Amino acid sequence: MRLFLALMPPPELRRRLGALADAAQACCGGRRMPDESLHLTLAFLGEVEAAQAAVLVDWVNRLAVPPGEWRLNAWGRFQRPGIVWVGGQTPDPALAALHCRLWDELESQGLIKGRPSRYVPHVTLLRRAERLETEGLPVPALTWRYHRLELIQSITDARGSHYVSLAHSPER
């Protein structure tokens, strides 16, 4: 099963991110991410066997995540494969520290290997954008208050791609 660790936005923030996705799609074209799919990936784990997933569920259910706040105030893009996203203008030290801590624990416990060489916190709004020019879009001004993360399974079936939460860290 394909897994990742993520922050999932609360309903009001999800709605506001959806409005930004609508504006981005009107300007850039491409495939808009459904509101229920909007998230911030902290660690992409890839394909994981069921037994390993069970260990990850247990680990996440006990994982203490310090509360934090992330300012989303910039548009961004990845040339390939035509991704348009929102994120922070400057790197967020708390998110970077959480990302590093997660990978340190995953690797030290032998759960997962393959830490990425670079981490750019972002929320993907569009895939396969026809234009990657975001200059005419409204400047994002969102604050994401987070206090837990989730272990998410990405499922692709006849309905397309969708996500299922397998576990979440305790509320803080």
Side-chain angles (χ1 to χ4, degrees), residues 13 17 36 58-60 68 76 82 103-104 110-111 116-117 128 152 164:
L13 178 60
L17 288 166
E36 62 273 8
D58 183 56
W59 175 69
V60 168
W103 276 106
D104 288 347
L111 295 173
S117 60
R128 295 188 200 105
I152 304 292
V164 174

Side-chain angles (χ1 to χ4, degrees), residues 84-163:
V84 174
W85 52 265
V86 291
Q89 265 183 336
T90 57
D92 184 273
L95 280 179
L98 180 57
H99 169 79
C100 284
R101 180 183 147 222
L102 292 172
W103 276 106
D104 288 347
E105 290 187 31
L106 288 164
E107 291 176 337
S108 72
Q109 296 179 38
L111 295 173
I112 299 288
K113 291 182 172 47
R115 180 189 308 236
S117 60
R118 189 178 105 160
Y119 180 60
V120 179
H122 67 280
V123 177
T124 297
L125 301 178
L126 300 177
R127 294 187 185 279
R128 295 188 200 105
E130 297 154 14
R131 293 170 301 286
L132 294 174
E133 299 304 317
T134 57
E135 285 73 26
L137 291 169
V139 176
L142 304 174
T143 299
W144 185 334
R145 290 176 185 85
Y146 58 88
H147 56 276
R148 73 175 197 183
L149 64 80
E150 297 187 40
L151 176 64
I152 304 292
Q153 180 181 5
S154 176
I155 299 172
T156 303
D157 58 22
R159 298 178 294 159
S161 253
H162 58 282
Y163 301 144

